[in-house]
Amino acid sequence: MASDEPSGTYRQGGSVSDPMAQRSKRGLAPVFFLIATTWMFSVIHPSGAAAQDSAALERGVYELVNAHRSTLGLAPLVYSEEIAAVARRHSQAMATGRTGLGHQGVEARRKELSERIVFSRFAENVGANNQTPPLAAQTAVAEWLKSSGHRQNIEGQFDLTGVGIVRTSTGLYFFTQIFVSSSRLRSGTPGGS
């Protein structure tokens, strides 16, 4: 299927939010569709220009999500590099084919973060596209906003977020954005009381 995809294809991996994990029920569309297979790609290891590219895209997704929230009168999300590191590892797993495009391992990510941050809600959006920067970030957020599950996470009652993006050598970007509802750190962690 990958060989006959048009340029600029976006793959939505679904969204997860409390209380139960839910997947978007969208059908196939020319530029927007769900992927149920595992993708194998060689990944550019973040260094030099590739790392700056991913960091700029991560910041772009964060800013676009907050801009959308602002139009609704919602408080901006605070960026957490700790959450971003967890999101980035999931994007890396999807990009290398260790997991498919989706939420495999979401409970492990939730547990890992709960050991460092006290939160009552957790949500996650994932996706992939092969746009060039900065269109890759704009496409990811625009497509998430077309999906009720992703939109619900973006517009949810969360206060912390982190974004992780990994690019494959073929130019495909994998996106993970995690949202949590409390900014209190657990005792014994850097910044915790």
Side-chain angles (χ1 to χ4, degrees):
M1 180 175 261
S3 62
D4 55 323
E5 292 173 359
S7 176
T9 299
Y10 180 81
R11 296 180 189 93
Q12 177 185 336
S15 64
V16 170
S17 61
D18 288 334
M20 296 180 63
Q22 299 176 354
R23 289 195 179 260
S24 174
K25 302 261 186 205
R26 290 193 161 295
L28 292 178
V31 180
F32 182 69
F33 54 93
L34 294 172
I35 296 297
T37 59
T38 300
W39 293 89
M40 299 295 286
F41 295 96
S42 59
V43 175
I44 294 174
H45 295 285
S47 62
Q52 289 176 352
D53 194 37
S54 291
L57 285 173
E58 289 169 358
R59 190 72 173 169
V61 167
Y62 168 69
E63 290 171 356
L64 289 166
V65 165
N66 271 342
H68 175 77
R69 288 175 61 88
S70 176
T71 65
L72 301 174
L74 298 171
L77 300 167
V78 175
Y79 197 81
S80 165
E81 184 53 45
E82 189 166 28
I83 294 172
V86 172
R88 208 170 288 118
R89 282 194 300 273
H90 182 55
S91 291
Q92 177 84 18
M94 292 187 294
T96 58
R98 287 192 316 266
T99 66
L101 177 61
H103 302 284
Q104 183 179 348
V106 70
E107 287 305 318
R109 288 186 293 286
R110 182 190 318 249
K111 183 176 187 291
E112 178 182 353
L113 286 171
S114 73
E115 292 171 356
R116 298 182 188 130
I117 302 170
V118 177
F119 59 85
S120 58
R121 294 191 53 183
F122 172 101
E124 175 181 84
N125 287 350
V126 301
N129 73 59
N130 63 354
Q131 295 286 355
T132 58
L135 290 177
Q138 294 167 359
T139 300
V141 174
E143 295 299 329
W144 284 339
L145 289 172
K146 290 179 185 177
S147 158
S148 62
H150 292 95
R151 178 183 284 271
Q152 190 172 27
N153 291 343
I154 289 170
E155 297 174 356
Q157 294 180 343
F158 299 105
D159 60 1
L160 271 180
T161 193
V163 180
I165 301 172
V166 174
R167 180 183 178 270
T168 68
S169 62
T170 63
L172 185 61
Y173 289 94
F174 285 85
F175 295 79
T176 303
Q177 183 169 19
I178 296 174
F179 306 85
V180 299
S181 64
S182 177
S183 59
R184 294 178 298 141
L185 297 174
R186 290 206 179 272
S187 293
T189 62
S193 52

mmCIF file of all heavy atoms in Angstrom, residues 13 23 35-39 90-91 93-104 126 174:
data_model
loop_
_atom_site.group_PDB
_atom_site.id
_atom_site.type_symbol
_atom_site.label_atom_id
_atom_site.label_comp_id
_atom_site.label_asym_id
_atom_site.label_seq_id
_atom_site.Cartn_x
_atom_site.Cartn_y
_atom_site.Cartn_z
ATOM 1 N N GLY A 13 -3.218 7.450 13.506
ATOM 2 C CA GLY A 13 -3.075 6.239 14.281
ATOM 3 C C GLY A 13 -4.119 6.062 15.349
ATOM 4 O O GLY A 13 -4.149 5.058 16.018
ATOM 5 N N ARG A 23 -10.517 4.224 19.655
ATOM 6 C CA ARG A 23 -9.902 4.440 18.351
ATOM 7 C C ARG A 23 -10.896 5.153 17.463
ATOM 8 O O ARG A 23 -12.087 4.901 17.505
ATOM 9 C CB ARG A 23 -9.507 3.122 17.701
ATOM 10 C CG ARG A 23 -8.351 2.480 18.386
ATOM 11 C CD ARG A 23 -7.803 1.400 17.469
ATOM 12 N NE ARG A 23 -6.690 0.811 18.137
ATOM 13 C CZ ARG A 23 -5.436 1.114 17.869
ATOM 14 N NH1 ARG A 23 -5.142 1.992 16.962
ATOM 15 N NH2 ARG A 23 -4.460 0.536 18.509
ATOM 16 N N ILE A 35 -3.993 3.083 9.699
ATOM 17 C CA ILE A 35 -3.061 2.035 9.328
ATOM 18 C C ILE A 35 -3.169 0.923 10.362
ATOM 19 O O ILE A 35 -3.115 1.168 11.543
ATOM 20 C CB ILE A 35 -1.615 2.561 9.313
ATOM 21 C CG1 ILE A 35 -1.451 3.625 8.238
ATOM 22 C CG2 ILE A 35 -0.610 1.446 9.128
ATOM 23 C CD1 ILE A 35 -1.678 3.132 6.842
ATOM 24 N N ALA A 36 -3.322 -0.295 9.888
ATOM 25 C CA ALA A 36 -3.428 -1.431 10.788
ATOM 26 C C ALA A 36 -2.237 -2.362 10.634
ATOM 27 O O ALA A 36 -2.233 -3.453 11.166
ATOM 28 C CB ALA A 36 -4.716 -2.191 10.508
ATOM 29 N N THR A 37 -1.240 -1.942 9.903
ATOM 30 C CA THR A 37 -0.071 -2.783 9.693
ATOM 31 C C THR A 37 1.146 -2.172 10.340
ATOM 32 O O THR A 37 1.165 -1.006 10.688
ATOM 33 C CB THR A 37 0.205 -2.946 8.189
ATOM 34 O OG1 THR A 37 0.418 -1.662 7.632
ATOM 35 C CG2 THR A 37 -0.938 -3.650 7.480
ATOM 36 N N THR A 38 2.153 -2.963 10.505
ATOM 37 C CA THR A 38 3.410 -2.480 11.039
ATOM 38 C C THR A 38 4.260 -1.977 9.900
ATOM 39 O O THR A 38 4.388 -2.629 8.878
ATOM 40 C CB THR A 38 4.149 -3.626 11.766
ATOM 41 O OG1 THR A 38 3.320 -4.085 12.819
ATOM 42 C CG2 THR A 38 5.473 -3.148 12.323
ATOM 43 N N TRP A 39 4.854 -0.816 10.065
ATOM 44 C CA TRP A 39 5.690 -0.212 9.043
ATOM 45 C C TRP A 39 7.141 -0.374 9.440
ATOM 46 O O TRP A 39 7.515 -0.085 10.557
ATOM 47 C CB TRP A 39 5.353 1.270 8.882
ATOM 48 C CG TRP A 39 3.996 1.450 8.333
ATOM 49 C CD1 TRP A 39 2.839 1.542 9.042
ATOM 50 C CD2 TRP A 39 3.623 1.496 6.971
ATOM 51 N NE1 TRP A 39 1.782 1.651 8.198
ATOM 52 C CE2 TRP A 39 2.239 1.628 6.919
ATOM 53 C CE3 TRP A 39 4.343 1.447 5.783
ATOM 54 C CZ2 TRP A 39 1.547 1.703 5.730
ATOM 55 C CZ3 TRP A 39 3.647 1.540 4.599
ATOM 56 C CH2 TRP A 39 2.266 1.666 4.582
ATOM 57 N N HIS A 90 7.989 6.466 21.909
ATOM 58 C CA HIS A 90 6.912 5.760 21.210
ATOM 59 C C HIS A 90 6.982 6.037 19.707
ATOM 60 O O HIS A 90 6.819 5.119 18.892
ATOM 61 C CB HIS A 90 5.542 6.134 21.760
ATOM 62 C CG HIS A 90 4.443 5.384 21.088
ATOM 63 N ND1 HIS A 90 4.411 4.011 21.021
ATOM 64 C CD2 HIS A 90 3.362 5.810 20.408
ATOM 65 C CE1 HIS A 90 3.342 3.613 20.349
ATOM 66 N NE2 HIS A 90 2.688 4.695 19.952
ATOM 67 N N SER A 91 7.251 7.287 19.330
ATOM 68 C CA SER A 91 7.397 7.604 17.907
ATOM 69 C C SER A 91 8.551 6.819 17.293
ATOM 70 O O SER A 91 8.461 6.328 16.164
ATOM 71 C CB SER A 91 7.610 9.114 17.715
ATOM 72 O OG SER A 91 6.425 9.811 18.032
ATOM 73 N N ALA A 93 9.598 3.886 18.306
ATOM 74 C CA ALA A 93 9.143 2.497 18.191
ATOM 75 C C ALA A 93 8.268 2.313 16.958
ATOM 76 O O ALA A 93 8.386 1.302 16.245
ATOM 77 C CB ALA A 93 8.396 2.073 19.454
ATOM 78 N N MET A 94 7.399 3.279 16.679
ATOM 79 C CA MET A 94 6.564 3.183 15.477
ATOM 80 C C MET A 94 7.419 3.307 14.216
ATOM 81 O O MET A 94 7.230 2.568 13.250
ATOM 82 C CB MET A 94 5.469 4.262 15.493
ATOM 83 C CG MET A 94 4.416 4.053 16.566
ATOM 84 S SD MET A 94 3.028 5.210 16.441
ATOM 85 C CE MET A 94 3.821 6.794 16.801
ATOM 86 N N ALA A 95 8.373 4.247 14.228
ATOM 87 C CA ALA A 95 9.208 4.495 13.052
ATOM 88 C C ALA A 95 10.104 3.311 12.709
ATOM 89 O O ALA A 95 10.402 3.075 11.540
ATOM 90 C CB ALA A 95 10.055 5.747 13.272
ATOM 91 N N THR A 96 10.534 2.569 13.702
ATOM 92 C CA THR A 96 11.408 1.423 13.452
ATOM 93 C C THR A 96 10.626 0.122 13.254
ATOM 94 O O THR A 96 11.224 -0.905 12.974
ATOM 95 C CB THR A 96 12.403 1.217 14.614
ATOM 96 O OG1 THR A 96 11.673 1.026 15.818
ATOM 97 C CG2 THR A 96 13.357 2.394 14.740
ATOM 98 N N GLY A 97 9.310 0.183 13.430
ATOM 99 C CA GLY A 97 8.493 -1.007 13.241
ATOM 100 C C GLY A 97 8.403 -1.902 14.464
ATOM 101 O O GLY A 97 7.840 -2.988 14.385
ATOM 102 N N ARG A 98 8.971 -1.474 15.601
ATOM 103 C CA ARG A 98 8.831 -2.279 16.821
ATOM 104 C C ARG A 98 7.375 -2.338 17.257
ATOM 105 O O ARG A 98 6.950 -3.300 17.890
ATOM 106 C CB ARG A 98 9.701 -1.710 17.945
ATOM 107 C CG ARG A 98 11.183 -1.953 17.741
ATOM 108 C CD ARG A 98 12.020 -1.665 18.979
ATOM 109 N NE ARG A 98 11.674 -0.442 19.670
ATOM 110 C CZ ARG A 98 12.261 0.748 19.479
ATOM 111 N NH1 ARG A 98 13.226 0.876 18.595
ATOM 112 N NH2 ARG A 98 11.889 1.803 20.172
ATOM 113 N N THR A 99 6.616 -1.298 16.921
ATOM 114 C CA THR A 99 5.167 -1.291 17.125
ATOM 115 C C THR A 99 4.537 -0.745 15.856
ATOM 116 O O THR A 99 5.194 -0.057 15.070
ATOM 117 C CB THR A 99 4.744 -0.390 18.319
ATOM 118 O OG1 THR A 99 5.036 0.957 17.997
ATOM 119 C CG2 THR A 99 5.430 -0.781 19.598
ATOM 120 N N GLY A 100 3.282 -1.033 15.674
ATOM 121 C CA GLY A 100 2.564 -0.461 14.540
ATOM 122 C C GLY A 100 2.170 0.971 14.852
ATOM 123 O O GLY A 100 2.359 1.459 15.969
ATOM 124 N N LEU A 101 1.611 1.634 13.872
ATOM 125 C CA LEU A 101 1.113 2.983 14.075
ATOM 126 C C LEU A 101 -0.123 2.881 14.949
ATOM 127 O O LEU A 101 -1.150 2.357 14.528
ATOM 128 C CB LEU A 101 0.770 3.632 12.735
ATOM 129 C CG LEU A 101 0.167 5.033 12.796
ATOM 130 C CD1 LEU A 101 1.131 5.999 13.463
ATOM 131 C CD2 LEU A 101 -0.177 5.512 11.396
ATOM 132 N N GLY A 102 -0.004 3.303 16.181
ATOM 133 C CA GLY A 102 -1.116 3.187 17.112
ATOM 134 C C GLY A 102 -0.646 3.325 18.546
ATOM 135 O O GLY A 102 0.378 3.943 18.821
ATOM 136 N N HIS A 103 -1.387 2.710 19.429
ATOM 137 C CA HIS A 103 -1.186 2.926 20.862
ATOM 138 C C HIS A 103 -0.643 1.714 21.609
ATOM 139 O O HIS A 103 -0.782 1.627 22.824
ATOM 140 C CB HIS A 103 -2.498 3.397 21.486
ATOM 141 C CG HIS A 103 -2.985 4.651 20.850
ATOM 142 N ND1 HIS A 103 -2.420 5.876 21.115
ATOM 143 C CD2 HIS A 103 -3.942 4.868 19.929
ATOM 144 C CE1 HIS A 103 -3.024 6.797 20.388
ATOM 145 N NE2 HIS A 103 -3.945 6.213 19.660
ATOM 146 N N GLN A 104 0.001 0.809 20.903
ATOM 147 C CA GLN A 104 0.594 -0.347 21.569
ATOM 148 C C GLN A 104 1.535 0.154 22.662
ATOM 149 O O GLN A 104 2.369 1.025 22.434
ATOM 150 C CB GLN A 104 1.355 -1.202 20.566
ATOM 151 C CG GLN A 104 1.945 -2.456 21.169
ATOM 152 C CD GLN A 104 2.664 -3.287 20.102
ATOM 153 O OE1 GLN A 104 2.547 -3.055 18.908
ATOM 154 N NE2 GLN A 104 3.412 -4.266 20.569
ATOM 155 N N VAL A 126 -1.594 9.943 18.150
ATOM 156 C CA VAL A 126 -0.484 9.513 17.300
ATOM 157 C C VAL A 126 -0.877 9.688 15.842
ATOM 158 O O VAL A 126 -2.064 9.752 15.508
ATOM 159 C CB VAL A 126 -0.053 8.045 17.559
ATOM 160 C CG1 VAL A 126 0.380 7.836 18.991
ATOM 161 C CG2 VAL A 126 -1.151 7.076 17.187
ATOM 162 N N PHE A 174 6.726 10.325 12.290
ATOM 163 C CA PHE A 174 5.815 9.697 13.251
ATOM 164 C C PHE A 174 5.644 10.647 14.422
ATOM 165 O O PHE A 174 6.628 11.128 14.983
ATOM 166 C CB PHE A 174 6.360 8.339 13.721
ATOM 167 C CG PHE A 174 6.219 7.273 12.677
ATOM 168 C CD1 PHE A 174 7.178 7.113 11.694
ATOM 169 C CD2 PHE A 174 5.102 6.447 12.658
ATOM 170 C CE1 PHE A 174 7.042 6.148 10.709
ATOM 171 C CE2 PHE A 174 4.961 5.473 11.678
ATOM 172 C CZ PHE A 174 5.929 5.321 10.704
#
